[in-house]
C-alpha cells in the first residue's frame, strides 16, 4: 500500500515538474498552451493563389505571426521586429521561413496578404485562404481570433487575435512562442538557441 | 449698418479661431500601412476641459480614433466616439498611449513628406484643422532596410 502511495506521489510530482518546465503560454481563454497542442498544419495560399501547405515547408524552421492587414499598429510593429531580427541572424536566417497568416480572410486575399508581408521583408510569405482554411490553420496553432462588428466604423469590423510569434521546428513541431511585444534581443536569442 | 454687421461677424470668426487655436497637437504624423489604410499619432493638449467629438478629413473616406490594447494575450482594437481632455494635460494618441488615428481608404496615394489635413471638432474649442506630415512608416522602414525595395509602385487596391 505504502509503495502504491509513494509511486502515485512520484507520478504527480513528475507531472507537475513537466508542466512547470515545459514551454507554455496562455491562451486568451486562460487555457495553458502546451507543446503537445500546437503544430503547424495548414493549407493556405499566397500570391497568384499558389497553394502553400505546412507539409511542403518541412525542412525549414517556421517563424509565424497571425494578424490582418487592417491592423495599423501592432501587426506592422511585430512584422518589423521579425524582419529586423531575421536580417541580423546571418546564415541561420536561410533556415527560417517567416510566415504572416491573415485572420481576416474576408478582406485579406492571398494576394493582399502576400504583398503586405513581402513589403516588410522579401523573405516573408504572406498567406490567406478560405475562412475554413484560415480557421484550420489558426486552430492548429491554438490561435484565438474573433471578428467584432462595428457598424459605426467605416471599417465595418475589426478582428481580435492572439498576439504571439510562433517558432516551429523542421517537422512542423512546436519549439517556442514569444509575445508580440518581445524585444529584438530576446527574439534573436531565442532563434539563435533553437535554430541549428 | 451692413459694415457693423460685417465687423461683428469678422470679430466672431477671429474669436472662434483664437479659441480653437488653444488646442495643441504635438508631433502629428501619419503613415500609410497599406494603400487602403494609414495610422496617425499626436499628443493633444487642450487649453480648457474639453471633449473631442468628431474627426473629418478630405484625405480619406474616414478618420477615426481607436484604442489598441492587449488583454489576456489578445490584441484588440476599438473605435472611440469621443475623447475627454483635461485642461493642460497632454493626451497621447500614440502607441505608448494605446491609441491611434485610423485613416481609412485614402483618396490618393501619399508619399513620405506629403501633408494631410485633418479637422477635429471639440465641444468647447470648436473646429481645429491640423496638418499631419506623412512619414515613412514601419513598412517603409523595413523596405528601406531590406536592401533597396521601396513602397513605390504598390498596387492600389481596396
Amino acid at each position: 500500500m505504502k509503495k502504491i502511495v509513494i509511486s502515485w506521489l512520484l507520478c504527480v510530482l513528475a507531472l507537475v515538474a513537466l508542466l512547470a518546465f515545459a514551454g507554455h503560454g496562455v491562451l486568451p481563454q486562460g487555457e495553458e498552451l502546451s507543446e503537445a497542442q500546437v503544430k503547424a498544419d495548414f493549407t493556405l495560399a499566397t500570391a497568384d493563389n499558389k497553394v502553400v501547405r505546412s507539409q511542403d515547408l518541412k525542412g525549414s524552421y517556421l517563424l509565424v505571426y497571425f494578424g490582418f492587414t487592417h491592423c495599423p499598429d501592432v501587426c506592422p510593429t511585430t512584422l518589423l521586429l521579425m524582419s529586423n531580427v531575421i536580417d541580423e541572424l546571418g546564415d541561420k536566417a536561410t533556415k527560417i521561413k517567416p510566415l504572416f497568416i491573415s485572420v481576416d480572410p474576408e478582406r485579406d486575399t492571398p494576394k493582399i496578404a502576400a504583398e503586405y508581408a513581402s513589403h516588410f521583408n522579401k523573405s516573408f510569405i504572406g498567406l490567406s485562404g478560405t475562412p475554413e482554411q484560415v480557421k484550420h490553420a489558426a486552430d492548429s496553432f491554438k490561435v484565438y481570433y474573433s471578428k467584432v462588428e462595428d457598424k459605426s466604423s467605416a471599417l465595418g469590423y475589426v478582428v481580435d487575435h492572439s498576439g504571439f510569434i510562433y517558432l516551429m521546428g523542421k517537422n512542423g513541431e512546436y519549439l517556442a512562442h514569444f509575445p508580440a511585444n518581445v524585444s529584438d534581443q530576446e527574439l534573436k536569442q531565442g532563434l539563435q538557441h533553437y535554430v541549428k | 449698418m451692413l459694415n457693423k454687421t460685417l465687423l461683428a461677424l469678422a470679430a466672431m470668426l477671429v474669436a472662434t479661431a483664437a479659441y480653437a487655436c488653444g488646442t495643441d497637437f504635438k508631433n502629428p504624423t501619419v503613415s500609410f500601412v497599406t494603400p487602403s489604410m494609414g495610422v496617425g499619432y499626436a499628443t493633444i493638449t487642450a487649453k480648457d476641459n474639453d471633449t473631442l467629438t468628431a474627426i473629418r478629413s478630405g484625405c480619406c473616406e474616414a478618420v477615426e480614433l481607436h484604442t489598441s490594447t492587449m488583454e489576456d494575450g489578445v490584441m484588440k482594437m476599438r473605435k472611440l466616439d469621443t475623447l475627454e481632455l483635461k485642461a493642460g494635460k497632454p493626451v497621447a494618441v500614440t502607441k505608448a498611449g494605446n491609441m491611434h488615428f485610423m485613416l481609412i481608404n485614402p483618396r490618393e496615394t501619399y508619399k513620405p513628406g506629403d501633408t494631410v489635413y485633418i479637422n477635429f471638432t471639440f465641444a468647447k474649442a470648436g473646429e481645429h484643422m491640423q496638418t499631419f506630415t506623412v512619414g515613412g512608416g514601419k513598412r517603409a522602414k523595413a523596405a528601406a532596410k531590406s536592401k533597396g525595395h521601396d513602397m513605390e509602385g504598390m498596387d492600389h487596391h481596396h
Side-chain angles (χ1 to χ4, degrees), chain A residues 3-196:
Chain A
K3 280 186 184 174
I4 291 171
V5 170
I6 289 171
S7 299
W8 182 83
L9 279 172
L10 284 172
C11 284
V12 170
L13 278 172
L15 186 62
V16 168
L18 187 67
L19 289 173
F21 290 106
H24 69 277
V26 177
L27 291 175
Q29 301 89 338
E31 182 185 344
E32 286 290 314
L33 180 70
S34 75
E35 295 176 25
Q37 292 177 309
V38 175
K39 60 182 191 296
D41 177 20
F42 56 81
T43 298
L44 294 166
T46 187
D48 299 326
N49 283 320
K50 180 187 167 194
V51 174
V52 177
R53 300 177 304 171
S54 47
Q55 63 202 72
D56 298 329
L57 299 175
K58 284 186 178 178
S60 296
Y61 293 85
L62 305 180
L63 191 65
V64 188
Y65 182 71
F66 286 77
F68 63 113
T69 68
H70 278 69
C71 163
D73 198 39
V74 171
C75 297
T77 300
T78 307
L79 290 172
L80 179 62
L81 163 76
M82 290 166 63
S83 174
N84 289 341
V85 170
I86 291 276
D87 283 346
E88 289 169 11
L89 271 185
D91 291 341
K92 286 194 175 185
T94 59
K95 301 180 180 182
I96 302 172
K97 288 210 182 322
L99 308 181
F100 165 75
I101 299 179
S102 173
V103 291
D104 185 9
E106 282 183 50
R107 282 189 293 225
D108 294 343
T109 62
K111 180 176 187 282
I112 289 173
E115 188 176 272
Y116 178 79
S118 69
H119 278 279
F120 287 92
N121 194 298
K122 286 183 178 179
S123 68
F124 280 21
I125 304 171
L127 299 168
S128 186
T130 64
E132 293 74 26
Q133 288 172 328
V134 167
K135 183 176 186 313
H136 183 87
D139 285 349
S140 77
F141 283 84
K142 292 297 176 188
V143 163
Y144 169 84
Y145 68 103
S146 175
K147 178 179 171 181
V148 179
E149 300 275 355
D150 185 357
K151 298 297 182 206
S152 74
S153 169
L155 291 173
Y157 67 88
V158 291
V159 184
D160 295 351
H161 61 95
S162 304
F164 296 110
I165 302 167
Y166 299 85
L167 178 63
M168 311 302 282
K170 292 196 274 188
N171 290 312
E173 77 280 17
Y174 167 87
L175 291 178
H177 71 279
F178 309 88
N181 60 358
V182 66
S183 69
D184 285 46
Q185 195 57 28
E186 283 174 23
L187 181 59
K188 188 175 174 183
Q189 283 173 352
L191 296 183
Q192 285 173 332
H193 171 76
Y194 285 104
V195 176
K196 308 295 180 196

Side-chain angles (χ1 to χ4, degrees), chain A residues 119, chain B residues 29-40 56-63 102-119 129-140 150-158:
Chain A
H119 278 279
Chain B
T29 58
V30 300
S31 61
F32 288 91
V33 185
T34 71
S36 58
M37 188 196 53
V39 62
R56 292 188 317 277
S57 177
C59 80
C60 312
E61 177 187 327
V63 179
M102 286 276 295
L103 283 69
I104 301 164
N105 293 333
R107 295 196 168 98
E108 58 183 271
T109 303
Y110 290 95
K111 299 183 302 297
D114 285 348
T115 299
V116 168
Y117 299 88
I118 301 177
N119 191 72
M129 178 68 77
Q130 180 63 45
T131 57
F132 284 71
T133 304
V134 179
K138 293 180 171 59
R139 285 184 67 186
D150 62 31
M151 297 265 293
E152 300 294 329
M154 268 172 23
D155 287 343
H156 194 92
H157 51 72
H158 291 273

